[in-house]
Amino acid sequence: VNRLTAITTNQEAGWFLGLDDEVIYRIDKEMLEEQYAARLLPPPAAINLSVDEVSYRKYHRYLTNVVDTDEKAVIWNDRGRRREVLDRYYTAIGEDNCKNIESVALDGARTYITSTQRYAVNATIVYDKFHVLQKLNGAVDMVRKQELRKARKDENKELIELMNCRQRFILLKKKSNLTEKQSGYLERLCKANEPIYKAMLLKESFLKVYDYNDPVEAEEYLRGWIKDAIESSLDMFKKIAESFLDKLQYIINWFRKKISSAISEGINNKIKRLKRMAYGYKDIDYFRLKIHQHCGLLNPRRYSH
């Protein structure tokens, strides 16, 4: 049961074994609880961490996940995303282990930053590149939504067609990664709508900051971008620029540590797939265990022979 539920749904495992779904659930949860107590209590300490949140239910219900970026595995999680939640991990591993932490990659949440500054006193805090770009794409998409609402109000069919949800991914991709057809579509859209044109210019110019290797040069370029964004007529980019200015040192720390954002992105995608496979989880404690089973140290492939 434990091996099957690590690679497929409880329903499929039950069908294969000739067992009821509820029986599979009870067996799986009991085994995972035993494994959790044996392997994850007390929580493992790590040298390089990534901290992120994941939604487990509608209406802002979140889990905080702590990832060992060297092991590429979730090593701890708990319900909520307040400062006190991450505090529980740091207090559980102890003061000496906290002092040994060298880097912590975050999604920019002030609650996580405050907790890390308090406990991991020697760590370099990094605003993870993946989440920085996620925020940037979110700002572009908000501009698209605002302009789409205006187009619908004005009954501008051409703009409605150009800005509908099916086309949004073109705005979120790097310009250099677009096909010839997609590039032509984007050019049409930018000519037809000035705010989207400005949003795309700001997005593409921001991406150039990651071409720098020297933190000092990167900071100088980023400060110039923040100034341009604040002076733009786009409210969403003004807000994101002010947020980046507030967390500037953590963005620049990425150039000092170069922590890979692919780890966070890969684990987030696994967790999303896990939720889709099960059509959501009513039992939040079971969901926490399943994350460890699929994305952490309770994965059977890590300890089976």
Side-chain angles (χ1 to χ4, degrees), residues 60-193:
H60 306 289
R61 298 291 188 270
Y62 293 95
L63 282 177
T64 293
N65 289 310
V66 176
V67 175
D68 182 333
T69 57
D70 297 316
E71 288 290 330
K72 298 180 176 61
V74 175
I75 56 174
W76 183 89
N77 57 21
D78 205 351
R79 194 181 317 194
R81 58 174 177 174
R82 297 169 65 86
R83 187 199 71 197
E84 294 81 3
V85 178
L86 188 56
D87 285 353
R88 289 199 286 273
Y89 171 73
Y90 288 132
T91 54
I93 64 173
E95 185 178 349
D96 290 340
N97 284 325
C98 284
K99 287 180 179 178
N100 290 332
I101 298 172
E102 294 180 2
S103 67
V104 181
L106 305 167
D107 64 357
R110 180 57 64 182
T111 52
Y112 293 155
I113 291 172
T114 303
S115 177
T116 301
Q117 287 175 328
R118 180 181 177 185
Y119 290 95
V121 292
N122 297 319
T124 300
I125 298 175
V126 178
Y127 193 163
D128 186 67
K129 179 182 175 182
F130 167 69
H131 289 100
V132 170
L133 299 182
Q134 195 176 53
K135 296 274 187 186
L136 199 65
N137 281 332
V140 173
D141 199 41
M142 282 301 297
V143 173
R144 179 193 66 82
K145 288 177 180 177
Q146 289 171 356
E147 294 307 305
L148 181 56
R149 283 194 292 269
K150 289 179 185 177
R152 283 172 175 163
K153 186 178 179 181
D154 297 337
E155 297 182 354
N156 188 328
K157 292 182 180 179
E158 181 187 5
L159 274 180
I160 292 171
E161 179 62 28
L162 286 171
M163 292 188 293
N164 63 47
C165 293
R166 295 192 305 276
Q167 312 293 356
R168 65 185 289 273
F169 75 94
I170 295 177
L171 294 175
L172 306 184
K173 286 178 72 174
K174 281 184 69 175
K175 199 171 181 180
S176 58
N177 292 338
L178 295 175
T179 64
E180 186 176 343
K181 183 179 179 181
Q182 290 170 343
S183 296
Y185 165 87
L186 183 60
E187 187 176 344
R188 281 177 58 209
L189 177 56
C190 288
K191 283 181 180 179
N193 187 274

